[in-house]
Amino acid sequence: MPGSARCIGIVGPFQTGKTSLLEALLHRTGGIERMGKGAGRVGDASPEARDHEMSTEANVATAEFLGERFAFVDCPGSIEFGQDMRDALAVMDAAVVVCEPDEKKVPALGLILRELEDAGIPRLLFINKIDIATQPLRDVVALLQPASRTPLLMRQIPILQDGATAGFIDLALERAFLYRRGSPSEPVEIPAADLGREKDSRFTMLERLADYDDNLMEDLISEIEPARERVFGDITAENRAGQVVSVLFGSAENESGITRLLKALRHDAPRLAETRARLGVAPEGPALAQVFKTQHTGFGGKLSLVRVLRGRFGEGEVVMGSAGEAGRIGAVVSVSGARTGRLAEAGEGEVAGFAKLDGIGTGEALARDSRPEALAAAVPPPPTCALALGVLDRKDDVRLSSSLAKLLEEDSSLSLAHHADLGEMRLSGQGEMHLRVALERLERRFQVKVSASRPRVSYRETIQAPASARGRHKKQTGGHGQFGDVAIEIRPLARGEGFSFEDRITGGVVPRQYIGSVEAGARDFLQKGPLGFPVVDLAVTLTDGSYHNVDSSDAAFQAAARLAMAEALAKARPVLLEPVLQVEIAVPSSATARATTLVTGRRGQILGFEPREGWEGWDLVRALIPEAEMDGLIVELRSATAGIGSYTARFDHLAELTGRQAEQARMQAAG
C-alpha cells in the first residue's frame, strides 16, 4: 500500500485562506498552471460560493508530489456549512488546520480542533498570512494553544527582514530558507543573528518531543545531540499518535511555506492502513468505500464522492450500502473542483465520484458482494433557524418536493417538516446564510422558485371558566329536513390534558347512534376557537338534547354540537396560549453574561447556568423562551461569541399570553 493515495482535509475557521491554500498546493505540485482568482479557482466552484465569496460546500482536488499522490478535501469554514467537514472526517488520513494570527478567530479554531481530536484525526496547524503578522511567532503560538487540547509543536521560526517575515528556519533540519514569491523557498545559511534563537527554539521543540520519548529525554539531560533521523521519526510518530500538533507557517497568497508543508504531509501524514485501523476496517475483504458527499445537478444526475478504503471499484458494478439498499455505479470519475474526468476504475486510497448511485447516501459505507457495517456517520447538529416555504407557481408543487429531497440528501444539516395545523412546509438549517444558499440552489439547479417567510407560531387557546350552552340545528327543505338538539357543559382541564368527552344523557333524549356525532362536532369546532386558534385542555359533557325520528342525522347533530360549542366557549373566558421552549445555550464563559441578556431581552426566564462538561472555559445557560421570541436568536448569539455560540431547543409547555403580544398573535390568525 505505499503507493496508495492519501486523503488530506483542509479545514479551519471562516476566511482564514483555506481555498487559497488549496490553490497554492495545486500550483506548487503542477496540478494547475496558475493560482486562480474568483471564477478561475478550482475550489469554491459553485455559483453560490462565488456569489457570496465564501466556501459553501466541500471541494475535492488531487495532486502528486515527489511520487506521492494526495487527494485534498477543502472544507467550508463557516459554522453554518460545517456538516461537509463532519461527513468527510471518516475518509481523512490527516488534516491541515488553517488559521491566522488573529485572536478573534481562536474560539472558532478551538471548535474545529475539538472535532478533529474527537475523531482521532492527526493534524498539522498552518498559520497563514504570516506576512502580515504583527506579533512574534512564539506569542502567536501561545495565543493559539488554548484552542488545542493537544500541545502545539513549533517546528519553524521566522527570519525577519525590515520587520517582515522573509523566510524561516526549520528546527528539525537546522536549515534556513528565504521565500521567493510564487516559487519554492531558497536555501540559505542560518543568519548569524538568529543562531541563538534557533538553538533555544530547537531545544524547546526537542523537550516537547521528549515528553513522549524517554530515550530522547535522557539524551537531552546528557547533552547528547540526537540524530536528525530520530528527531523526524519522533515528530512523525507523535503527530500520528495525536500527542503533538506540528505548527508550520507561511502565506498561501504568496505561495510561501508551501513546499515545506507538502514535505511535512508526505512525511508525517498517516497512510491508508492506519486510517483503516482507526475505522475498524480489516485489510482483507470485499472492496469497500465510504460516501462522504452527495451532489445533485439540475440535469447531470447524482454524483457520490467516495474514498476507496479497500480493493477497487469499476463502472457498472453493483454495490450495497450499509443502510441495505443496492445500486449500480453508472460511471467512475475523477473530481477536481467542478471538473470531472472518466476513469476506468477507482483504486485503493483514491477519492472518486460514482455516478447515479441511487439509494446510497452520504455517510454510508458501500461494498461489493455484501452489505457492509456502517463506519462513521456524522450526526448533524440541531437546526437553529427556519423558513416557511411556498411555491410561486402551483405547477411546481411536485418539483419542489423532489428538489428539496435532493438538497436534503446533499446536506443532512438541512431538515424539512410539514406543520399541518399551520399549513406550512418548513425548511430548517444552521443559519440565515445556510438557508439562503439552499434556496439559491433550488432556483439555479432545479428551476424552482419559492416564497420564503418567517414561520408562524403554533398558538393555542383554552378556557378559564366552566360554561354551558344549547345548540339547536333545524333546517327544513323539500323532503327530509335536518334536526339536532344538544345541551353541553364545558370546563377547563389542567395544562397538557388535552380533550375529554363525557355522555351524561338519560332517557334516550339523544339516541346512542348520535352520541359519537356530538363528540365529532365538538372536536371539529376545537380546530379554531373564538380567538382563531386550536383549542386545548377542556372537557365537554353532553347533558341533554332532543331528536326527530325522521329529520335527525349524523350531520345534524354535528352541526348542533358546533353551535353549542361556539356559544359555550365565548362565555368560558377564552385565553390565548403560546408555546414556550426549553433552550440550552452553549457559549464561552466570557460571553455568558451577554447570553443571559439575550434571554431576558426576549421575555425569557433564566433557569440556571453551569460549566459545560468536558469543555473547559465554556458554560451552558438553561432558559425558558417563548417560541415567538426565537427568531434571530442565533444571529445575535453568534455575534456575541465570535461565531461559535449555539443552542438546542425543545417544546416545554404552553403559557397564557395577554396584552400586546396576544393582540399581535390574533393578527397572525386574522392574516
Side-chain angles (χ1 to χ4, degrees):
M1 196 185 319
S4 66
R6 280 184 275 188
C7 182
I8 307 296
I10 301 177
V11 303
F14 180 53
Q15 291 187 330
T16 50
K18 296 176 295 300
T19 303
S20 295
L21 179 61
L22 174 64
E23 295 284 317
L25 291 166
L26 295 177
H27 185 232
R28 184 58 50 84
T29 56
I32 55 177
E33 291 185 6
R34 59 182 178 275
M35 288 183 63
K37 299 282 187 182
R41 286 185 166 191
V42 172
D44 290 350
S46 71
E48 297 79 28
R50 288 169 180 170
D51 284 353
H52 298 293
E53 299 183 338
M54 62 181 289
S55 297
T56 57
E57 60 188 340
N59 283 276
V60 173
T62 57
E64 188 169 326
F65 179 70
L66 298 180
E68 297 275 359
R69 291 175 296 148
F70 293 94
F72 294 106
V73 183
D74 176 24
C75 300
S78 167
I79 194 171
E80 297 187 29
F81 299 95
Q83 190 60 29
D84 265 18
M85 182 192 78
R86 296 183 198 97
D87 289 331
L89 288 179
V91 304
M92 294 180 190
D93 296 317
V96 177
V97 185
V98 185
C99 62
E100 56 183 293
D102 183 350
E103 185 176 9
K104 294 191 293 294
K105 294 187 177 179
V106 172
L109 174 64
L111 287 187
I112 292 166
L113 286 171
R114 174 177 282 270
E115 296 228 37
L116 296 171
E117 291 162 1
D118 291 346
I121 310 292
R123 52 217 169 269
L124 302 175
L125 197 66
F126 184 77
I127 302 175
N128 193 23
K129 307 179 187 179
I130 196 66
D131 49 321
I132 59 173
T134 58
Q135 295 175 276
L137 181 65
R138 190 178 295 276
D139 292 348
V140 172
V141 173
L143 179 74
L144 300 176
Q145 181 61 73
S148 174
R149 292 178 290 181
T150 306
L152 300 181
L153 183 73
M154 195 166 73
R155 289 178 53 176
Q156 301 170 320
I157 59 172
I159 296 174
L160 302 177
Q161 291 180 358
D162 300 324
T165 301
F168 65 93
I169 299 172
D170 188 304
L171 299 176
L173 277 174
E174 293 191 283
R175 295 179 63 188
F177 300 84
L178 289 180
Y179 294 142
R180 295 188 298 168
R181 188 181 179 96
S183 300
S185 301
E186 177 186 358
V188 296
E189 292 292 326
I190 297 177
D194 292 321
L195 284 171
R197 192 163 58 95
E198 187 271 338
K199 294 297 182 187
D200 290 344
S201 298
R202 175 177 165 81
F203 188 78
T204 300
M205 179 190 73
L206 294 175
E207 279 189 314
R208 177 67 71 189
L209 293 172
D211 287 342
Y212 306 97
D213 183 344
D214 292 340
N215 292 329
L216 178 59
M217 179 64 76
E218 290 179 10
D219 286 351
L220 294 182
I221 293 172
S222 303
E223 298 184 353
I224 298 173
E225 182 65 24
R228 181 178 296 172
E229 293 75 14
R230 180 175 174 186
V231 173
F232 276 111
D234 273 0
I235 290 173
T236 298
E238 293 179 22
N239 263 295
R240 292 184 180 184
Q243 295 166 327
V244 298
V245 175
S246 287
V247 178
L248 306 175
F249 59 81
S251 168
E253 199 73 29
N254 297 329
E255 294 187 69
S256 301
I258 303 304
T259 301
R260 182 67 256 161
L261 175 60
L262 282 163
K263 288 183 176 179
L265 289 172
R266 181 175 180 269
H267 195 269
D268 299 340
R271 294 190 178 274
L272 179 59
E274 291 162 272
T275 300
R276 285 198 302 223
R278 188 187 83 229
L279 296 173
V281 173
E284 304 295 331
L288 180 71
Q290 173 80 2
V291 182
F292 67 91
K293 185 168 177 59
T294 300
Q295 296 176 330
H296 287 276
T297 61
F299 305 100
K302 178 180 175 181
L303 185 67
S304 303
L305 298 186
V306 310
R307 189 181 187 204
V308 180
L309 300 174
R310 188 174 61 207
R312 314 182 78 81
F313 289 90
E315 181 176 328
E317 293 181 349
V318 175
V319 295
M320 182 170 286
S322 50
E325 293 291 325
R328 183 182 298 274
I329 301 173
V332 179
V333 299
S334 63
V335 180
S336 183
R339 297 189 295 273
T340 59
R342 205 68 173 255
L343 294 173
E345 63 177 7
E348 202 161 74
E350 291 182 346
V351 169
F354 289 176
K356 300 180 180 179
L357 196 59
D358 296 326
I360 299 175
T362 300
E364 285 191 63
L366 60 89
R368 195 170 52 233
D369 304 330
S370 61
R371 177 181 176 178
E373 294 292 325
L375 298 178
V379 178
T384 60
C385 63
L387 289 172
L389 303 185
V391 290
L392 296 179
D393 190 330
R394 298 301 302 175
K395 72 179 190 311
D396 285 337
D397 260 334
V398 175
R399 279 207 303 154
L400 175 61
S401 297
S402 63
S403 300
L404 283 172
K406 291 175 181 177
L407 287 184
L408 267 62
E409 189 178 12
E410 288 187 350
D411 184 353
S412 61
S413 64
L414 290 169
S415 58
L416 191 68
H418 294 268
H419 293 258
D421 60 322
L422 298 171
E424 283 186 351
M425 177 168 57
R426 194 174 293 182
L427 180 67
S428 299
Q430 303 304 311
E432 291 183 336
M433 181 60 74
H434 190 215
L435 293 177
R436 185 186 308 172
V437 167
L439 298 188
E440 290 170 354
R441 287 174 177 160
L442 263 183
E443 184 171 348
R444 273 199 179 100
R445 294 189 195 172
F446 308 110
Q447 292 75 53
V448 178
K449 292 184 178 182
V450 298
S451 63
S453 59
R454 177 182 174 182
R456 293 189 295 165
V457 177
S458 298
Y459 292 107
R460 296 290 185 265
E461 57 182 272
T462 192
I463 58 173
Q464 301 178 86
S468 60
R470 193 170 197 106
R472 185 180 178 90
H473 176 72
K474 183 177 182 181
K475 189 173 182 181
Q476 192 65 46
T477 57
H480 288 306
Q482 297 180 38
F483 182 85
D485 174 37
V486 298
I488 61 170
E489 294 176 353
I490 62 173
R491 59 183 173 84
L493 294 177
R495 198 73 68 241
E497 288 193 15
F499 171 79
S500 71
F501 180 83
E502 183 183 358
D503 162 28
R504 289 215 308 259
I505 288 294
T506 58
V509 292
V510 175
R512 305 309 304 172
Q513 67 264 33
Y514 297 135
I515 301 297
S517 304
V518 177
E519 180 178 354
R523 285 184 180 274
D524 181 63
F525 185 82
L526 297 182
Q527 294 179 28
K528 188 175 182 179
L531 302 181
F533 296 96
V535 185
V536 296
D537 301 334
L538 83 164
V540 176
T541 302
L542 175 61
T543 59
D544 197 9
S546 62
Y547 71 101
H548 187 279
N549 284 330
V550 176
D551 293 343
S552 288
S553 65
D554 170 70
F557 272 99
Q558 286 198 42
R562 287 193 290 269
L563 291 171
M565 289 288 289
E567 180 181 340
L569 262 72
K571 297 189 293 185
R573 291 166 46 206
V575 64
L576 198 62
L577 300 175
E578 68 171 344
V580 176
L581 308 182
Q582 185 170 127
V583 182
E584 192 169 79
I585 301 173
V587 292
S589 301
S590 58
T592 301
R594 176 66 178 138
T596 59
T597 301
L598 291 177
V599 170
T600 55
R602 293 170 176 268
R603 297 192 288 124
Q605 174 190 351
I606 301 292
L607 300 178
F609 60 89
E610 59 204 27
R612 188 179 185 185
E613 186 176 354
W615 290 65
E616 185 177 352
W618 281 69
D619 285 337
L620 287 179
V621 178
R622 292 177 292 102
L624 296 174
I625 305 178
E627 182 184 325
E629 302 290 342
M630 293 295 291
D631 186 53
L633 174 60
I634 191 61
V635 176
E636 292 188 32
L637 185 60
R638 286 179 178 157
S639 176
T641 58
I644 62 171
S646 63
Y647 72 80
T648 58
R650 60 179 178 82
F651 175 78
D652 189 79
H653 67 279
L654 292 169
E656 291 185 11
L657 183 65
T658 58
R660 181 174 58 86
Q661 285 85 16
E663 186 59 36
Q664 290 173 341
R666 284 193 286 270
M667 289 173 62
Q668 169 184 303

